[in-house]
Amino acid sequence: MIHTLEPDDRTLHGHFSRDRPPVLTVDPGDTVVFRTLDSGWGLEPHGAGPWRPRREIERGPDDDGHALTGPVAIRGAAPGLTLAVEIGALVPAAHGACLAGGWPSPWNERLGVVGDGVVHAYTLDAVTMTGTSSLGRTVKLRPFLGVLGMPPDEPGIHSTIPPRVTGGNLDCRELVSGSTLYLPIGPRRAVQHGRRPRRTGRRPGFGHRDRVPDGAGRADVPAAR
């Protein structure tokens, strides 16, 4: 069965929590099509040049992380099993951006952009899979998943920033279309949260399998085949 989730008041959140109720429950093998915001909750594209504020969705202090769509629960998931997520088409939206500067870090200090943020804005073409910057440079697109995973098996609100054994901010550039991510299921039910920066797409398969060796996440990616 194919399900669709849109980014709205019911599905959007900026944290991980095992206590957040799922907005959708699926059977193993079902497909879920997600449409997402960019990671910064934007309602409009970034403008090129010096960073300047844009319209973003207002949210509370518990939702100050990446804009996630979900969560999704999988029937039959049980402790000791493995959540298998097959990643289908990753379709870019019409725009994107690269941001640098605006905060202290070794990279920003090296580039001299600690105090002032800089934006390279891109127009994205989902047919040719290319992006053209505001400076006229065209690059090839190879979309991958940014944040994908289950909440830690602990009460409370958890940040979307760090990667964990249960997934999270993996930022693995090999998690492209055709990949399968395997995550160990903890004592609670399997609940899937997802974020795709500035993209829409499909994850065509949720399932649960035997235990992952050593309790750590694994991935089957096209580059390793």
Side-chain angles (χ1 to χ4, degrees):
M1 180 177 290
I2 298 177
H3 312 267
T4 300
L5 286 180
E6 297 285 335
D8 53 32
D9 291 342
R10 184 177 66 97
T11 63
L12 281 172
H13 55 290
H15 62 271
F16 283 103
S17 175
R18 71 179 190 184
D19 301 315
R20 185 178 181 87
V23 297
L24 175 67
T25 299
V26 302
D27 291 310
D30 281 3
T31 294
V32 182
V33 179
F34 295 82
R35 193 168 71 86
T36 69
L37 301 177
D38 63 31
S39 61
W41 300 74
L43 291 173
E44 61 184 356
H46 281 285
W51 181 89
R52 53 189 181 274
R54 59 172 182 162
R55 291 188 304 120
E56 297 179 351
I57 291 180
E58 296 183 4
R59 64 264 189 200
D62 288 344
D63 291 316
D64 62 350
H66 303 84
L68 306 181
T69 302
V72 175
I74 296 90
R75 293 187 184 92
L81 296 179
T82 299
L83 176 66
V85 184
E86 298 176 1
I87 301 167
L90 300 177
V91 183
H95 59 82
C98 294
L99 289 73
W103 66 90
S105 73
W107 298 273
N108 290 339
E109 291 170 4
R110 181 178 178 182
L111 295 171
V113 292
V114 171
D116 298 311
V118 178
V119 178
H120 283 190
Y122 283 80
T123 300
L124 308 182
D125 189 323
V127 176
T128 63
M129 291 302 284
T130 57
T132 302
S133 77
S134 50
L135 301 177
R137 182 183 180 187
T138 298
V139 296
K140 187 175 181 180
L141 302 180
R142 189 172 182 260
F144 64 91
L145 292 176
V147 180
L148 173 68
M150 295 178 288
D153 186 42
E154 299 173 0
I157 301 297
H158 300 273
S159 171
T160 66
I161 294 176
R164 302 179 176 89
V165 171
T166 53
N169 190 17
L170 302 177
D171 269 342
C172 175
R173 66 180 185 177
E174 300 302 336
L175 284 179
V176 296
S177 178
S179 302
T180 302
L181 178 65
Y182 301 93
L183 296 172
I185 298 175
R188 302 271 295 210
R189 66 175 181 267
V191 179
Q192 194 78 11
H193 304 242
R195 183 271 297 181
R196 234 177 241 108
R198 298 171 294 282
R199 304 182 182 108
T200 61
R202 173 179 294 182
R203 295 195 191 110
F206 289 94
H208 40 75
R209 305 184 181 181
D210 292 336
R211 184 187 307 273
V212 170
D214 302 324
R218 297 285 189 273
D220 178 19
V221 299
R225 293 173 190 159

